[in-house]
Amino acid sequence: MTDDVAAVQRLRDLDDEAFGLRYGADRFTVSVLANRLQYVVEHMCSGLLTNAFSLILRDWYDFAATVSGPPGEGYPMSSVSNSLAVFFGTMADGLRNTVEEFGPDELAPGDLLICNDPYRTGTHVNDVLFIRPVFHEGRLAAFVSLRAHQLDMGGVVPAGFSATKRDVYETGLVLAPQLLYRNDKPVRSTFNLIFDNARFGALLLPDIKTIHQNLKLGERLITESIERYGLPAFLGAIRYRCDVSAESMADALGTVPDGVYEGEEHIDCDGADDSVEYRVQVRISKVGRDIEIDLSGTSPQARTSINASVLDTKTAVGMALKLLLDPSTPFTSGTYRPVDIVLPPGTVASAVPPDGAVFLFWEGSGPVLLAIFRALASALGERAVAGDFGSLSIHNANGMLPNGMPWVTTAQCGGEHGPWGATRHGDADNYSVPYLANNLDPATEAIESDVPVVVLRKEYTADTAGAGTHRGGAAVLKDTLWLAPAEHWSSPLHTKRSSGFGVHGGRSGAAGAVWLFGKDACDVGGEGRLLGTEDAVYANAVPVAGVLDPETHVRDLEHGRYFYFASTPHWRTEPGAIFRYLTNGGGGWGDPRERDPEAVRRDVRDGYVTIEGAAHHYGVVVTGDPETDPEGVRIDADATARLRSVEGNVR
Amino acid sequence: MAEISGAIDSPAPAVHREQVEGACPRCGAHELRAYPVLSEGGWFQAVKCDRCLMSVRRTPWALLGPVQLTSTGLELE
């Protein structure tokens, strides 16, 4: 906790002598080295991004790099890449757990150590943690690491993304800490273990070789820095970056009113059946510059692979606090110095093996972040941040081309990208990955070149964004037309309630859904038209997930029935089938009646809000036809004033 | 409210906070409790003040805290 931080002098107030004693060099040198550490991780990532073959690395940026200090310093993680938080958030602990179990004294120059066990290192088995020790004068001086998603790691589902896997034996190959390279020579037994169990080896092998080379690059850059500035200054820079994060987080916590705050968030159900809805509960105690977050009361671990591990939940806690309170300083292991997490084992946010299957870990940890956002909303007032689209609703499919070539798609054709919630600073982004991630959006051309699919629609849906002085992000609708026989796993896990809750008087976004249409619903190739978006089209659709009218299959959160996403555990489709994903909408910030009518007019012009929605949600009367004359839509100022003057007219 | 099947009906796990004798050196409260926490550096067995959150003692715990691996306890020799 922060007693140490609070008691010591603030970093900026240290005089030159005190700074030098603490960090092994003058302030200027340490700052240069601290920035150099950031350069190292970004350079490693650039090398992997530009050389990767696998779609999940090349098009999604599904990897992260870090630099950590040696065992004698407590493995401080000083630098993380500008990539997905769910990875780098786990890597300080994952690296320490891996090295300590393997034995730091067993490591030698030229080693590459790996581990992929979610219970040791977080995330899931496809995300292998690659660790390179950096030696100086025969002693461990640092570690560079890359956590990179491998397209497959065995298990019962090709590429792995499924909410229906029941235990650790079904999720895929577990790699305990072991060497992949020794003295920069491949360890054949480890390669055999992976490649005798994983699919798509032709993609994995060159990517693993690239990862090895980029870790060697990171090692070389760090070695050069140590040789130039000396080991004390290098280690001082690592400590300094962590101390800056710790001080910054403690300062930020000091701005939150002391108190006890509670929040909860839900997951629709697991992949076993829909008899259990899962709850994530947080109780936050905040005193001075310290905070404690207790997840007691969270539901027992799920029966299938929607659970998060302990380290995933630690990541969600850290990122929730960073996003809400302290977004301007780098995330390091020091971020957690003023933060204690109280986490019982065996919950949906802290699953344990062998039955607590972990694969769609973000579906368990994302609600932790949102529950913290909810819990602190009242305390933060105008600083509160609204909820995002909640579930990745990930789509995983595979098949075989006529020439016998297997294909796979993952995280490209579902609801993986969607809206965020609004803040005091402005309207929300409409198209991003969830708060806990930070990735690229695969190019449509890349998807269609690798997979027998056509991306027909990728567009915003009107009147789905949470209304507010600042509008939430609009839900994303995505249609994909499948050109070849395929089997699909669809995992939308947050449709019973809106994840995009509003804050500071803002309204919640709409809840999403998923449908499957047969070729008879719309012969895109034959008729040369897209599947419509009007309500009438859904009657003939097969509901995959969502709260829908039982007859029309149109979304109806108030009176509808929940359709269970795994009623068909995996879907087999013939050519011409269309999957439609609609994400949840993002939450709004502030009273919608305070929204500038001109902003509402622009929303109508741009298709975020309909004319009816403008009146209903904002009390703004807009005239004209945004479809045929978008620049011609106008505000009826008098009618708007009358509408807004009556309490209850805006909902 | 929509017709939503399912209910949260299983007992939820909780962390037990064991009462510890003594007063908090910071705020004086006799509200010390012992329980594990996850923080910078991993898992710790901590004795903390319930009122002001001060950590009176923190001892590094097992690497994985309360998590038992499937392979935990293997006796190979």
Side-chain angles (χ1 to χ4, degrees):
Chain A
M1 303 294 281
T2 53
D3 300 308
D4 291 343
V5 176
V8 300
Q9 207 170 3
R10 297 185 60 76
L11 295 176
R12 70 172 53 180
D13 295 333
L14 292 173
D15 62 26
D16 289 348
E17 182 181 4
F19 192 95
L21 283 172
R22 187 188 290 189
Y23 296 115
D26 63 89
R27 194 182 291 268
F28 181 80
T29 300
V30 167
S31 296
V32 168
L33 273 167
N35 284 294
R36 170 81 166 174
L37 291 167
Q38 192 61 37
Y39 166 82
V40 170
V41 294
E42 299 302 347
H43 209 10
M44 287 193 292
C45 285
S46 297
L48 179 53
L49 183 69
T50 53
N51 289 282
F53 285 83
S54 164
L55 65 94
I56 198 77
L57 301 176
R58 182 196 69 199
D59 298 340
W60 247 93
Y61 208 135
D62 206 22
F63 58 93
T66 64
V67 175
S68 291
E73 300 270 330
Y75 301 93
M77 184 181 72
S78 66
S79 311
V80 306
S81 54
N82 183 20
S83 54
L84 69 172
V86 290
F87 276 26
F88 64 65
T90 64
M91 287 168 72
D93 297 85
L95 184 145
R96 183 195 60 245
N97 293 347
T98 302
V99 173
E100 284 292 305
E101 182 176 338
F102 184 80
D105 295 338
E106 303 296 319
L107 291 170
D111 282 352
L112 179 51
L113 181 64
I114 61 170
C115 182
N116 74 341
D117 182 3
Y119 312 102
R120 290 171 166 103
T121 65
T123 73
H124 55 200
V125 291
N126 288 45
D127 298 334
V128 179
L129 179 57
F130 299 86
I131 300 168
R132 176 81 167 183
V134 180
F135 285 83
H136 177 70
E137 296 179 347
R139 297 181 59 187
L140 272 170
F143 297 93
V144 289
S145 69
L146 273 163
R147 163 160 254 160
H149 186 107
Q150 306 304 304
L151 193 55
D152 193 272
M153 197 47 64
V156 295
V157 176
F161 288 103
S162 163
T164 58
K165 297 189 280 190
R166 291 179 181 268
D167 52 38
V168 71
Y169 313 111
E170 293 191 0
T171 52
L173 177 68
V174 174
L175 298 164
Q178 58 199 286
L179 290 177
L180 186 64
Y181 285 83
R182 167 131 274 183
N183 196 23
D184 283 324
K185 304 293 184 194
V187 177
R188 179 161 287 280
S189 59
T190 307
F191 274 88
N192 287 349
L193 179 63
I194 296 171
F195 285 84
D196 286 339
N197 285 279
R199 307 169 182 90
F200 311 112
L203 289 172
L204 266 58
L205 185 58
D207 287 347
I208 288 176
K209 289 180 177 178
T210 300
I211 290 165
H212 176 220
Q213 291 303 314
N214 281 288
L215 287 169
K216 287 175 68 175
L217 168 67
E219 176 193 31
R220 178 168 62 77
L221 294 172
I222 284 184
T223 300
E224 288 172 3
S225 296
I226 294 173
E227 288 174 351
R228 179 169 181 178
Y229 294 99
L231 186 61
F234 174 79
L235 296 178
I238 288 179
R239 287 197 303 274
Y240 176 70
R241 281 186 70 99
C242 294
D243 288 351
V244 167
S245 295
E247 183 180 86
S248 177
M249 178 56 77
D251 287 348
L253 291 171
T255 68
V256 179
D258 289 355
V260 175
Y261 308 100
E262 296 190 354
E264 63 180 47
E265 188 64 41
H266 299 85
I267 306 167
D268 286 350
C269 45
D270 62 23
D273 58 48
D274 63 351
S275 66
V276 181
E277 186 179 36
Y278 291 89
R279 176 185 62 221
V280 169
Q281 182 162 313
V282 297
R283 184 178 191 274
I284 300 173
S285 303
K286 154 67 185 49
V287 180
R289 291 154 59 88
D290 293 330
I291 197 166
E292 184 177 282
I293 296 169
D294 191 338
L295 281 96
S296 295
T298 294
S299 296
Q301 64 191 19
R303 301 160 297 177
T304 62
S305 47
I306 66 167
N307 297 294
S309 73
V310 160
L311 295 185
D312 302 318
T313 289
K314 182 177 182 180
T315 299
V317 169
M319 292 313 298
L321 297 175
K322 286 297 286 181
L323 289 167
L324 285 176
L325 305 173
D326 181 33
S328 60
T329 57
F331 177 92
T332 73
S333 55
T335 296
Y336 291 94
R337 201 170 300 169
V339 181
D340 273 348
I341 303 166
V342 182
L343 183 55
T347 74
V348 70
S350 57
V352 295
D355 295 327
V358 175
F359 207 94
L360 306 189
F361 60 89
W362 62 87
E363 303 289 355
S365 64
V368 176
L369 178 141
L370 290 180
I372 293 171
F373 275 34
R374 285 184 190 270
L376 293 177
S378 61
L380 292 176
E382 69 169 17
R383 295 163 62 199
V385 175
D388 67 357
F389 64 110
S391 173
L392 209 60
S393 297
I394 197 165
H395 190 97
N396 191 98
N398 70 91
M400 190 88 76
L401 296 175
N403 64 6
M405 179 73 77
W407 59 266
V408 70
T409 172
T410 190
Q412 294 175 312
C413 297
E416 295 88 2
H417 294 76
W420 282 18
T423 72
R424 60 179 160 155
H425 300 295
D427 295 346
D429 288 342
N430 300 287
Y431 195 89
S432 187
V433 281
Y435 286 140
L436 274 173
N438 180 22
N439 306 76
L440 300 176
D441 178 31
T444 298
E445 293 81 0
I447 297 170
E448 295 178 351
S449 71
D450 289 344
V451 180
V453 70
V454 180
V455 181
L456 296 175
R457 290 185 187 268
K458 198 157 77 170
E459 61 192 37
Y460 305 132
T461 299
D463 295 340
T464 56
T469 309
H470 295 153
R471 178 179 45 72
V476 172
L477 183 147
K478 187 188 289 181
D479 282 353
T480 51
L481 169 66
W482 298 84
L483 304 178
E487 61 177 348
H488 313 258
W489 282 261
S490 176
S491 304
L493 289 162
H494 202 313
T495 63
K496 289 182 179 177
R497 295 174 170 84
S498 171
S499 59
F501 53 87
V503 294
H504 199 53
R507 306 295 194 263
S508 296
V514 181
W515 301 266
L516 174 61
F517 298 83
K519 185 177 180 180
D520 55 340
C522 181
D523 182 2
V524 176
E527 299 176 20
R529 65 177 178 87
L530 298 178
L531 177 65
T533 57
E534 65 277 12
D535 286 350
V537 304
Y538 296 104
N540 292 326
V542 176
V544 175
V547 180
L548 310 173
D549 181 285
E551 301 297 324
T552 66
H553 303 157
V554 172
R555 289 177 297 129
D556 185 351
L557 201 55
E558 194 170 352
H559 305 293
R561 175 166 75 83
Y562 173 65
F563 286 84
Y564 172 47
F565 78 94
S567 59
T568 299
H570 63 280
W571 304 84
R572 296 184 188 280
T573 61
E574 294 302 313
I578 296 174
F579 269 94
R580 169 167 291 177
Y581 281 78
L582 179 67
T583 70
N584 295 341
W589 180 98
D591 187 341
R593 288 171 298 186
E594 299 297 320
R595 185 166 177 79
D596 181 357
E598 173 57 22
V600 177
R601 187 195 68 80
R602 286 199 302 270
D603 284 346
V604 172
R605 180 196 66 184
D606 296 341
Y608 293 116
V609 176
T610 62
I611 285 180
E612 296 75 20
H616 186 75
H617 299 300
Y618 294 95
V620 175
V621 178
V622 178
T623 60
D625 186 342
E627 292 300 320
T628 59
D629 183 18
E631 295 300 336
V633 295
R634 296 285 183 269
I635 301 165
D636 183 332
D638 292 340
T640 295
R642 285 195 298 275
L643 191 57
R644 281 188 159 183
S645 68
V646 179
E647 193 71 27
N649 268 358
V650 178
R651 284 166 282 176
Chain B
M1 185 60 191
E3 179 192 336
I4 295 174
S5 60
I8 301 167
D9 52 5
S10 304
V15 171
H16 174 63
R17 299 176 182 229
E18 189 176 340
Q19 198 163 349
V20 174
E21 291 295 317
C24 171
R26 184 158 70 186
C27 73
H30 288 260
E31 297 180 26
L32 301 184
R33 302 283 187 275
Y35 51 97
V37 298
L38 180 60
S39 185
E40 181 188 24
W43 285 95
F44 298 86
Q45 290 287 0
V47 174
K48 296 180 63 175
C49 175
D50 234 16
R51 180 183 293 178
C52 77
L53 301 182
M54 182 184 185
S55 283
V56 179
R57 287 194 296 276
R58 291 170 82 85
T59 308
W61 194 22
L63 270 183
L64 306 182
V67 176
Q68 299 280 306
L69 299 173
T70 308
S71 59
T72 297
L74 273 181
E75 293 183 14
L76 300 177
E77 294 180 12

